[in-house]
Amino acid sequence: MSETGIGARVRRKEDRRFVTGAGNYTDDVNIAGQAHAVFRRSEHAHAAVKSVDASAALALPGVLGVFTGDDLAADEVGALPAGWMIHSKDGSPMNAPGHPCLVQGKARYVGDPVAVVIAETQAQARAGAEALEVDYEELDAVIDLTETQSSSVLLHDDAPKNTCYEWELGDKAATEAAFAKAHHVTRLSLTNNRLVPNAMEPRAALADYDAGTGSYTLYTTSQNPHVARLVMSAFLNVAPEHKLRVIAPDVGGGFGSKIYVYPEEVVCTWASKKVGRAVKWTADRTESFITDAHGRDHATDAQLAMDERGRILGFRVRTTANLGAYPSLFATCVPTYLYATLLSGQYDIPAIYAEVDAVYTNTVPVDAYRGAGRPEATFVVERIVEVAAREMGIDPATFRKRNFVKKFPHQTPVIMTYDAGDYAASLNRACDLIDYKGFNRRRRDSARNGKLRGIGFSNYIEACGIAPSAAVGSLGAGVGLWESAEVRVNPTGNVEVLTGSHSHGQGHETTFAQLVAERLGIGIDQVEIVHGDTDKVQFGMGTYGSRSGAVGMSAIAKALDKVEAKAKKIAAHLLEAAEGDIEFKDGTFSVTGTDKSISFPEVSLSAYVAHKFPTSEIEPGLKEGAFYDPSNFTFPAGCHICEVEIDPATGVTDIVNWVAVDDFGVVVNPMIVEGQVHGGIAQGVGQALLENAVYDSSGQLLTASYMDYCMPRADDLPDFTVDTTVTPCPSNPLGIKGCGEAGAIAAPAAVINAITDALGHEEIAMPATPQAVWRAAQVAAREAAE
């Protein structure tokens, strides 16, 4: 292994500009003469908008224009679509009304954009928005996902019972038969609490219309600028695709919430032509809370059937998933094909049947958030497996190992084919690192100090490398999810890589360069990674679902194969040898069995000088592109173990130990991988202990600022012990599985399993706040006394 190649702990190249304040984010970009947009948003969760009187706003200094949904409709600007078709049990297509970019008819959640004011300054635009007179007819709202299907309130005329779909997966008859012969059945009801993404950088947009060329340029905080351009051109009719350039510069975190197209960037782009000026908008933090797509929000009833030895026979799950007021771009696939297909977990379960109802409520739309369906599935699986082990009196580690999948490939009853893994190796290593055998001693020590100590396992699996076009197409995806790359070798031997994957914290500028540097035998500083600009980069599908390594880097590897093949042809002519005799290693082309050689930079220069080889046989230049579409998903898996100590007098939970042993396949940069795991665990701990988006009965978000929405801090987290096992992924050329979401997937179940173990198995919902834990501890103490 080289000092900068695959497997090396290389410091991130991009960090210097970030830590020195030299990053270039959307809000940092300015265009001479730009105007500013401020949106007037509905203060009601459900209301008919009878009229918008803009006369007072238009009379204010600096106001250039006021626009409503009627103006967008007049220009035939479409509504935001759902991008994944789901069919109900009866075969009918989902009920998926579009989301108007400005309200048309009625507002359906607090924060729904009703109108936009464009002005010379942001302050003038804000004053104009406040001066708008909006006449509302307030309507009853439905907020609770468990009540919306039976409510008399109807959000959309074309969505009866406020239902998007009633979907199923698995073999119902086989599952019923498994339960009929069960020795023991464990039953559990769970909620997966609603979360607000809270990326460090709020969303922003800056759009400019060029009247001379009839083209638009949009700077935006997007995880996939090409998809944003496609949606805005093909579905929203904002501009022809070749007349719309989308640039996503440095992006300060996304966690899934910046995958989608939102109303604000559409409106800013359209309005830039209407007012003849560039239009800029940047969300404040309250806008982020009430407009960024939220995550999770499931209610689930689950049942697990076992034989007398604790072998799992069948699994039955019924989930209601909240989509909020509208179906966002990926929202419909999150509680279906990204959730139910992972309900087998790491376990060999013969029969599974899942039912999922996706429902509408008068709340912010819900979509993918770090893990997207996989955390929800893991929480259900790992909580019920833990409870089943306790009910049957079997050690939770033993119960898991008894039921692990042991032979690969493994076909689950819920679509997925697991290709490679060694789940027992991860669990055994984690038990060693946390000293599982010594836990009872530590528990006794805590008890002597008046504390409760518990330990919790979470053996997760996820489907990553979200890509196989044939697979996702058959499941309802509106597009293929391949990835593209172009490798440009310059005459002096340095390299530009244009990738459709977008980096917003993942470290692509380093890890992608490590691959190129190792393959071509050049320095990592000679490699430049270019992304995020639809005019520079060929069409790409963006970054989400831990796909950048497994899919994005595989596209780069395929392009590098072509570069190497062409370079060998050139080298053969330069060395006067047969092409088949040319070897390439460590940046040098050599002739087998001789001392004749030539360096990669020399071949690069010759490719452009082009007089030392016949151009009739070999084209000048050294630039190759590739599209990569894998045959299967990847399946990262692992074991996280959390150890907690609880003060029953206060309910404060202290995480005293955390071990994570993950199988990510081939690891490109261990330091970056560890950082991804740390960040994911922090987000999962936040969900388990602290975070919760809470609405009142009228649809007002009560947790719309950091005064009320509690985020994890450094002192909420322990030092993490992170390790890996390796089973290379067979479905991509690099053996990579993906690592970006694992921590967030595994952590919630590990924490809650540990807390319930400490409390004597008393059930507790997320977030397990000190108040909730204190109450549960009092109940557990009373039950123990009885």
Side-chain angles (χ1 to χ4, degrees):
M1 181 180 71
S2 72
E3 293 183 357
T4 59
I6 290 178
R9 302 177 69 88
V10 179
R11 288 191 176 185
R12 298 197 340 165
K13 294 174 62 178
E14 51 268 65
D15 281 354
R16 177 172 293 276
R17 75 173 185 271
F18 294 143
V19 300
T20 58
N24 186 43
Y25 300 90
T26 298
D27 193 53
D28 293 323
V29 180
N30 292 289
I31 296 173
Q34 69 190 20
H36 295 264
V38 170
F39 289 83
R40 176 67 180 267
R41 302 185 182 279
S42 174
E43 52 262 52
H44 303 291
H46 200 194
V49 178
K50 301 175 71 175
S51 65
V52 178
D53 185 350
S55 56
L58 289 168
L60 292 175
V63 173
L64 303 174
V66 177
F67 303 104
T68 67
D70 291 342
D71 298 301
L72 290 177
D75 281 359
E76 298 183 339
V77 175
L80 300 174
W84 203 296
M85 171 56 72
I86 303 296
H87 288 83
S88 288
K89 302 171 191 176
D90 62 5
S92 61
M94 65 185 184
N95 304 311
H99 183 182
C101 294
L102 294 173
V103 166
Q104 295 177 18
K106 65 178 182 177
R108 293 179 172 87
Y109 63 96
V110 173
D112 212 354
V114 174
V116 64
V117 176
I118 314 294
E120 297 282 359
T121 69
Q122 187 181 54
Q124 290 171 332
R126 189 171 300 280
E130 293 171 354
L132 294 176
E133 294 287 341
V134 184
D135 184 9
Y136 294 102
E137 178 187 343
E138 191 172 359
L139 306 171
D140 290 338
V142 58
I143 308 303
D144 191 329
L145 81 163
T146 65
E147 298 176 356
T148 186
Q149 289 179 295
S150 59
S151 174
S152 60
V153 176
L154 192 64
L155 271 76
H156 304 279
D157 292 340
D158 50 357
K161 298 195 305 180
N162 293 318
T163 300
C164 182
Y165 51 75
E166 296 174 330
W167 178 83
E168 65 180 351
L169 182 67
D171 189 329
K172 184 176 182 179
T175 305
E176 295 297 333
F179 274 82
K181 64 181 181 180
H183 171 75
H184 180 81
V185 174
T186 293
R187 295 173 173 84
L188 197 61
S189 294
L190 300 165
T191 58
N192 207 290
N193 44 320
R194 177 185 278 242
L195 304 176
V196 180
N198 283 305
M200 186 176 294
E201 177 202 24
R203 290 189 298 112
L206 172 61
D208 187 30
Y209 175 70
D210 185 334
T213 62
S215 60
Y216 298 81
T217 300
L218 169 65
Y219 294 86
T220 186
T221 48
S222 174
Q223 296 178 218
N224 48 359
H226 283 93
V227 174
R229 184 182 67 169
L230 174 63
V231 171
M232 290 175 68
S233 60
F235 297 97
L236 303 183
N237 194 36
V238 174
E241 196 169 6
H242 68 292
K243 293 290 187 178
L244 176 58
R245 179 185 185 184
V246 178
I247 301 171
D250 290 329
V251 173
F255 312 121
S257 69
K258 294 174 182 173
I259 295 173
Y260 336 110
V261 178
Y262 286 90
E264 292 84 6
E265 54 257 40
V266 176
V267 172
C268 286
T269 304
W270 170 83
S272 67
K273 180 178 181 181
K274 303 296 284 189
V275 300
R277 303 271 288 277
V279 175
K280 187 173 189 177
W281 168 81
T282 301
D284 60 34
R285 187 54 66 178
T286 297
E287 280 185 293
S288 295
F289 271 95
I290 63 172
T291 65
D292 291 4
H294 291 180
R296 315 290 191 249
D297 209 357
H298 285 193
T300 295
D301 292 315
Q303 300 173 345
L304 194 66
M306 280 75 60
D307 67 14
E308 62 277 0
R309 295 188 60 252
R311 291 297 302 268
I312 300 172
L313 303 175
F315 191 23
R316 193 159 49 201
V317 176
R318 179 168 181 80
T319 294
T320 303
N322 194 350
L323 299 185
Y326 296 96
S328 183
L329 189 64
F330 278 0
T332 54
C333 75
V334 172
T336 51
Y337 293 113
L338 296 183
Y339 165 71
T341 56
L342 275 302
L343 287 174
S344 193
Q346 297 183 8
Y347 309 108
D348 186 359
I349 304 177
I352 299 174
Y353 178 66
E355 296 175 285
V356 178
D357 289 359
V359 299
Y360 296 117
T361 61
N362 292 113
T363 61
V364 174
V366 177
D367 208 319
Y369 172 65
R370 197 170 191 171
R374 283 71 56 86
E376 296 92 317
T378 295
F379 190 69
V380 173
V381 172
E382 287 304 291
R383 285 292 295 119
I384 201 165
V385 162
E386 189 82 11
V387 173
R390 294 169 182 173
E391 290 181 350
M392 297 194 72
I394 303 173
D395 175 82
T398 301
F399 186 92
R400 286 172 166 84
K401 284 191 279 190
R402 188 170 293 173
N403 286 285
F404 277 158
V405 172
K406 298 178 178 69
K407 295 181 179 179
F408 297 89
H410 173 79
Q411 178 63 56
T412 74
V414 279
I415 296 178
M416 294 299 183
T417 302
Y418 299 166
D419 51 13
D422 187 345
Y423 307 144
S426 297
L427 186 147
N428 291 335
R429 178 62 176 154
C431 286
D432 290 343
L433 289 173
I434 208 164
D435 184 21
Y436 185 51
K437 292 179 180 178
F439 171 71
N440 285 331
R441 172 183 49 79
R442 298 192 296 276
R443 172 175 267 172
R444 290 191 297 270
D445 291 343
S446 293
R448 281 192 289 270
N449 294 319
K451 302 291 181 67
L452 306 173
R453 185 177 284 254
I455 195 165
F457 291 78
S458 183
N459 284 73
Y460 75 94
I461 189 168
E462 53 172 327
C464 287
I466 304 299
S469 295
V472 299
S474 68
L475 301 179
V479 293
L481 295 178
W482 41 262
E483 196 47 85
S484 68
E486 184 177 309
V487 176
R488 297 176 179 175
V489 181
N490 296 320
T492 54
N494 50 47
V495 177
E496 295 171 88
V497 177
L498 286 73
T499 172
S501 299
H502 186 275
S503 182
H504 43 277
Q506 293 84 357
H508 294 172
E509 293 176 38
T510 304
T511 53
F512 288 14
Q514 285 180 254
L515 168 64
V516 176
E518 178 172 283
R519 283 288 304 270
L520 300 183
I522 60 179
I524 193 171
D525 290 331
Q526 293 177 265
V527 183
E528 188 75 16
I529 307 299
V530 180
H531 65 91
D533 187 335
T534 60
D535 270 15
K536 291 182 178 180
V537 179
Q538 67 288 339
F539 199 100
M541 298 308 299
T543 296
Y544 42 85
S546 300
R547 71 192 302 273
S548 297
V551 188
M553 288 184 72
S554 291
I556 296 172
K558 292 293 186 182
L560 287 168
D561 290 343
K562 296 178 181 180
V563 167
E564 181 179 330
K566 183 174 182 179
K568 280 184 175 180
K569 291 183 178 181
I570 296 171
H573 281 279
L574 298 175
L575 296 172
E576 299 179 333
E579 184 181 333
D581 292 335
I582 299 296
E583 294 182 345
F584 181 56
K585 184 179 180 181
D586 297 331
T588 299
F589 297 89
S590 58
V591 181
T592 303
T594 75
D595 60 356
K596 297 171 66 176
S597 65
I598 189 171
S599 69
F600 179 75
E602 291 176 290
V603 171
S604 302
L605 182 61
S606 297
Y608 291 91
V609 173
H611 61 247
K612 295 186 177 181
F613 58 86
T615 55
S616 59
E617 298 178 18
I618 306 172
E619 291 183 355
L622 195 52
K623 178 185 77 169
E624 298 290 344
F627 287 75
Y628 178 70
D629 195 356
S631 59
N632 194 6
F633 299 99
T634 67
F635 297 96
C639 177
H640 287 221
I641 305 179
C642 170
E643 193 169 332
V644 302
E645 193 174 62
I646 295 171
D647 184 345
T650 64
V652 171
T653 299
D654 185 19
I655 298 176
V656 295
N657 201 353
W658 194 291
V659 166
V661 180
D662 300 288
D663 180 359
F664 297 135
V666 173
V667 173
V668 177
N669 187 318
M671 182 168 60
I672 289 177
V673 166
E674 288 165 11
Q676 288 287 322
V677 173
H678 289 182
I681 293 171
Q683 286 182 277
V685 168
Q687 175 173 15
L689 295 180
L690 304 165
E691 299 182 47
N692 198 22
V694 179
Y695 284 89
D696 70 12
S697 59
S698 70
Q700 296 294 328
L701 182 63
L702 301 180
T703 51
S705 77
Y706 293 134
M707 293 293 289
D708 302 295
Y709 188 93
C710 189
M711 298 281 285
R713 302 180 302 181
D715 62 354
D716 294 311
L717 305 168
D719 290 332
F720 304 117
T721 300
V722 176
D723 200 1
T724 57
T725 59
V726 178
T727 57
C729 176
S731 65
N732 66 70
L734 300 174
I736 295 170
K737 294 184 178 181
C739 69
E741 298 163 301
I745 292 169
V751 174
I752 300 301
N753 283 339
I755 290 174
T756 55
D757 182 52
L759 294 173
H761 308 170
E762 181 68 28
E763 287 304 314
I764 193 166
M766 295 190 293
T769 61
Q771 183 184 50
V773 173
W774 178 85
R775 286 176 174 168
Q778 305 314 302
V779 172
R782 285 196 300 270
E783 290 177 350
E786 295 171 358

